Amino acid sequence: MARLEDVAREAGVSASTVSRALSRPGMVAPATLERVRAAADGLGFRVNPAARALITGRTGFFAMLVPDLENPFYAASIAAAQDLAAQRERRLLIAVTDGSAQREQAAVHDLEEQVDGFILLSPVAGTTELKDLHRRKPVVVINRKVPGLTSFTVDTPGGLARIYDRLVELGHTDVAYLAGPPGSWMDRRRRATLAEHAGAPGLRVHIRGPVPPSFTEGARATADLLATGCTAILAYNSLLALGVMFELGRCGVRVPHDISVAAADDMAFAGLPGEPITAVHAPAPDLGRHAVAALIEMAGDASGRRPAGRTLPTTVRLTATLAAPRSAGQAGPVTAGGERTGRRDDPAGQAVDPR
Amino acid sequence: MARLEDVAREAGVSASTVSRALSRPGMVAPATLERVRAAADGLGFRVNPAARALITGRTGFFAMLVPDLENPFYAASIAAAQDLAAQRERRLLIAVTDGSAQREQAAVHDLEEQVDGFILLSPVAGTTELKDLHRRKPVVVINRKVPGLTSFTVDTPGGLARIYDRLVELGHTDVAYLAGPPGSWMDRRRRATLAEHAGAPGLRVHIRGPVPPSFTEGARATADLLATGCTAILAYNSLLALGVMFELGRCGVRVPHDISVAAADDMAFAGLPGEPITAVHAPAPDLGRHAVAALIEMAGDASGRRPAGRTLPTTVRLTATLAAPRSAGQAGPVTAGGERTGRRDDPAGQAVDPR
DNA sequence: CTGAAAGCGCTAACAG
DNA sequence: CTGTTAGCGCTTTCAG
């Protein structure tokens, strides 16, 4: 393996010049730069990351902790994050936590020495632990707001409210909500949104779950949801909704004729045949990219300045998978609505309070 | 951050002794060992991985390249691999390739300096490139046999053959196969298995696809599959099969009354309500563990000896999602069968020819 | 069994 | 703009 000094000899300069040419091209004369580059290419030189890390104290790795790889929302965030990281010459270390506080903590502990920062997706650790970690390494949080940390979230509650309003408008009186991951910050927010609306006249909200947000659990919970006597089902996320719809199909219950279905993010719905499913669209790839960009900024800036987080706007697609309940006498699907932006009374994409 | 020397001072020994105590406890007197450990714990000492890597040339990282995170087969392999790696004090660097040769190559190139070896899941690179890579770093392949490399595969073709036989037995004459990832070694093997059976009297096999093995693609391909006039559908994997069943349910086609469905691995089926789905069960977590174990063995052994690969046996569960075709006059589901082991004429778990 | 000494390959002052 | 110098924190001979 060629070393810096080999390149230096080949290019007729010193090792420091090669180092500078390769990592800070602006600090070197253009002619020298070219000679160094030619020599490096010729020898197939690649820096030894360990040697660099030893002296700089930075490894070029970020740890990204996710509850679950199969969840398309997370998978999309990861993929986008990894792309941006690769562009900026950083690498992402993915660790799966299964949504368990213990595994999350273990992963943080294991990785702490090896990374320049953490991206935490839907972390379950306490606020105190998270802030504590941030004192040691830069931390960015996705899908949860943690005061004092840079957080990127999506305005799903705003979108959910839109769907909820639509259901009321259509005449539904019994809506079931299938709750997501136990202990999840996002699920609490979604439930809170529903609770706010439960005051509407003659409206009942039946909460079932919580369950891990997977296709299988959606299918398994379906019988329970139907047993509530509801005419519409809202699911914590699209994976659960898909599982519900799968089971409904298997049991011969038709959507939307017999029941309306909607979900809080549409990651699993893209490209499905038939009528598009009513859902709140969340820009998962953007979350991943924002997090990486913020982490790079923090890790580069020794001053401890912390970039502001954001709540990204969601988009609601109201479609014919929502219809009036059969009992309301308005048979047949409703005409598909257009796209609308998330929460109405709250400017989308507003910055998180950077306390 | 405490350094080796701090621990040494605290324990009243030299830095070399601390180093030995921590990485080769057998080389140190028990009393010393204990004192060193106490001191290290007390100071919260953690080795600097960069410094260690600089001198040993080993980073403790393995790269694991996967086509897709959402695929439950891969997700299960990854999770199990990561668990074993963590136990053995190794870390796994997951990189997503999307099944693209270009991204795969880029990932290998990017990671080569940073890892002690590669685990390649369903790689698409040519045999020559793979062997070439193996000359530089230890390589273990999952889900594809590459002559000259340690490969771990599952005997899915054997299981598929069982399902196929069963379909013939039930009187099916038109079977559709939904092919998996374009260019995939596994898909070629599965098709070959079907081709061998297509000779059966009066039997037609309709191949559709290839498509990326996702739920969505399964749903989208369903109309095409039905258009073949088949009475049974086999899918490359369970994600596709699930998508097919979803769409069948949506369109009011009943399984198995109207059509039989089976898949080549059952990762996505576990725990689903209703009749268990006929599928070939593949031990995905074992693949991940085997790969990590083999890689650790290779990376530790400088002699260049290469552990043997294996083909893990599959299990077929024949259930009532397979029934006689309606045209055969045998209405109603068939009694569920028991579990049977994969390929019959081939001892399961046989070693790969270690050429 | 333990200590002293010599770097691993690179970057970051510091002069020039 | 470039070369010289001095390590980063650890492991590993080599003696004792």
Side-chain angles (χ1 to χ4, degrees):
Chain A
M1 201 72 267
R3 292 162 312 131
L4 214 50
E5 210 182 316
D6 302 328
V7 180
R9 195 177 317 113
E10 185 82 6
V13 293
S14 77
S16 350
T17 301
V18 176
S19 171
R20 280 190 282 256
L22 265 28
S23 44
R24 254 95 58 87
M27 287 181 68
V28 146
T32 318
L33 180 55
E34 193 162 348
R35 240 174 333 128
V36 171
R37 282 192 171 151
D41 283 359
L43 294 170
F45 171 81
R46 327 216 15 200
V47 292
N48 180 324
R52 170 179 284 175
L54 180 55
I55 190 160
T56 62
R58 270 173 286 110
T59 61
F61 283 111
F62 292 139
M64 188 164 188
L65 271 56
V66 301
D68 172 20
L69 294 178
E70 291 181 51
N71 189 316
F73 182 89
Y74 296 137
S77 296
I78 295 171
Q82 212 161 43
D83 272 2
L84 180 56
Q87 272 174 43
R88 307 292 194 80
E89 316 245 84
R90 263 78 167 191
R91 262 146 286 286
L92 240 45
L93 252 157
I94 312 297
V96 185
T97 66
D98 275 339
S100 132
Q102 194 194 319
R103 293 177 73 104
E104 186 176 294
Q105 197 184 4
V108 165
H109 183 261
D110 275 15
L111 263 22
E112 206 171 324
E113 314 298 311
Q114 328 237 2
V115 301
D116 303 336
F118 286 92
I119 298 176
L120 271 21
L121 265 92
S122 310
V124 293
T127 306
T128 322
E129 283 102 309
L130 292 176
K131 279 181 172 157
D132 221 63
L133 173 60
H134 185 241
R135 215 161 294 135
R136 289 169 276 141
K137 294 272 177 183
V139 170
V140 172
V141 178
I142 292 182
N143 228 13
R144 167 171 166 191
K145 269 183 205 160
V146 180
L149 298 187
T150 299
S151 306
F152 294 99
T153 56
V154 286
D155 179 27
T156 315
L160 257 188
R162 280 281 313 128
I163 290 179
Y164 210 80
D165 290 348
R166 177 67 181 148
L167 288 172
V168 171
E169 197 179 306
L170 286 166
H172 290 268
T173 55
D174 287 88
V175 175
Y177 173 69
L178 179 54
S184 139
W185 181 85
M186 259 297 177
D187 188 51
R188 278 199 300 279
R189 295 218 47 201
R190 290 178 197 179
R191 290 204 219 192
T193 303
L194 296 187
E196 286 167 23
H197 281 249
L203 193 62
R204 278 180 295 275
V205 179
H206 310 270
I207 295 191
R208 289 296 177 274
V211 296
S214 70
F215 183 92
T216 300
E217 294 295 338
R220 293 170 63 148
T222 302
D224 237 28
L225 291 164
L226 289 176
T228 63
C230 65
T231 53
I233 296 176
L234 247 53
Y236 169 79
N237 77 357
S238 60
L239 228 37
L240 285 173
L242 215 52
V244 167
M245 291 185 54
F246 176 82
E247 184 63 3
L248 291 176
R250 202 180 65 87
C251 300
V253 181
R254 312 304 302 267
V255 175
H257 182 258
D258 301 321
I259 198 160
S260 294
V261 176
D265 74 78
D266 66 350
M267 301 306 301
F269 296 154
L272 237 34
E275 175 70 20
I277 297 163
T278 294
V280 180
H281 172 78
D286 290 342
L287 286 177
R289 278 188 286 262
H290 276 299
V292 169
L295 204 44
I296 288 177
E297 198 182 323
M298 285 169 89
D301 182 10
S303 74
R305 287 182 42 69
R306 192 169 63 62
R310 281 186 59 186
T311 296
L312 304 182
T314 53
T315 310
V316 180
R317 194 200 320 233
L318 295 172
T319 71
T321 62
L322 251 45
R326 274 193 300 176
S327 52
Q330 292 182 228
V334 159
T335 314
E339 307 219 338
R340 303 272 284 270
T341 303
R343 198 186 304 185
R344 294 135 302 156
D345 54 355
D346 205 32
Q350 112 198 74
V352 172
D353 176 13
R355 172 153 351 166
Chain B
M1 200 73 267
R3 292 163 311 130
L4 214 48
E5 210 182 315
D6 302 328
V7 180
R9 195 177 316 112
E10 186 82 7
V13 293
S14 76
S16 347
T17 301
V18 177
S19 171
R20 280 190 281 257
L22 264 28
S23 43
R24 254 96 56 86
M27 287 182 69
V28 147
T32 318
L33 181 56
E34 194 162 348
R35 238 171 338 123
V36 170
R37 281 190 173 152
D41 283 358
L43 294 170
F45 171 80
R46 327 215 14 201
V47 293
N48 179 324
R52 169 178 284 175
L54 179 56
I55 191 160
T56 62
R58 269 172 288 109
T59 61
F61 282 111
F62 293 140
M64 189 165 187
L65 271 55
V66 302
D68 173 20
L69 294 178
E70 289 181 53
N71 188 317
F73 182 90
Y74 295 136
S77 296
I78 294 171
Q82 211 161 42
D83 273 0
L84 181 55
Q87 271 174 45
R88 308 292 193 80
E89 317 246 82
R90 262 79 167 191
R91 262 147 288 284
L92 241 45
L93 251 155
I94 312 296
V96 184
T97 66
D98 275 340
S100 130
Q102 193 193 319
R103 293 175 75 104
E104 186 175 293
Q105 197 183 2
V108 165
H109 184 262
D110 275 13
L111 262 23
E112 206 171 326
E113 314 298 312
Q114 328 237 4
V115 301
D116 302 337
F118 285 92
I119 298 176
L120 271 21
L121 264 92
S122 311
V124 292
T127 307
T128 322
E129 283 102 309
L130 293 176
K131 280 182 170 157
D132 221 64
L133 173 60
H134 185 243
R135 216 161 293 136
R136 288 170 277 144
K137 295 272 178 184
V139 171
V140 172
V141 178
I142 292 182
N143 227 11
R144 168 170 165 191
K145 269 184 203 158
V146 180
L149 299 187
T150 298
S151 307
F152 294 99
T153 56
V154 287
D155 180 25
T156 315
L160 258 188
R162 279 281 313 125
I163 290 179
Y164 210 81
D165 290 349
R166 177 67 181 146
L167 287 172
V168 171
E169 197 178 309
L170 285 166
H172 290 269
T173 55
D174 287 90
V175 175
Y177 173 69
L178 180 54
S184 138
W185 181 87
M186 260 295 178
D187 187 53
R188 278 199 299 280
R189 296 217 46 200
R190 290 179 196 178
R191 290 205 219 192
T193 304
L194 296 187
E196 285 166 24
H197 280 249
L203 193 63
R204 277 179 296 275
V205 179
H206 309 270
I207 297 189
R208 289 295 177 273
V211 296
S214 70
F215 184 91
T216 301
E217 294 294 336
R220 291 170 65 146
T222 303
D224 237 28
L225 292 165
L226 289 176
T228 64
C230 64
T231 53
I233 296 176
L234 248 53
Y236 169 80
N237 76 355
S238 60
L239 228 38
L240 285 174
L242 214 53
V244 166
M245 292 183 54
F246 176 83
E247 184 64 3
L248 293 176
R250 201 180 66 87
C251 300
V253 180
R254 312 303 302 266
V255 176
H257 182 257
D258 300 321
I259 199 160
S260 295
V261 176
D265 73 79
D266 67 350
M267 302 305 302
F269 296 153
L272 239 32
E275 173 70 20
I277 297 164
T278 294
V280 180
H281 172 77
D286 290 341
L287 285 177
R289 279 188 286 263
H290 276 299
V292 169
L295 204 44
I296 289 177
E297 198 181 321
M298 286 169 87
D301 182 10
S303 74
R305 286 182 44 68
R306 191 169 62 64
R310 280 188 58 188
T311 296
L312 304 182
T314 53
T315 311
V316 179
R317 192 199 322 232
L318 294 172
T319 71
T321 62
L322 252 43
R326 274 195 301 178
S327 51
Q330 292 181 229
V334 160
T335 315
E339 307 218 338
R340 303 273 282 271
T341 303
R343 197 187 303 187
R344 295 134 301 155
D345 54 353
D346 206 31
Q350 110 197 76
V352 172
D353 176 13
R355 174 144 351 157

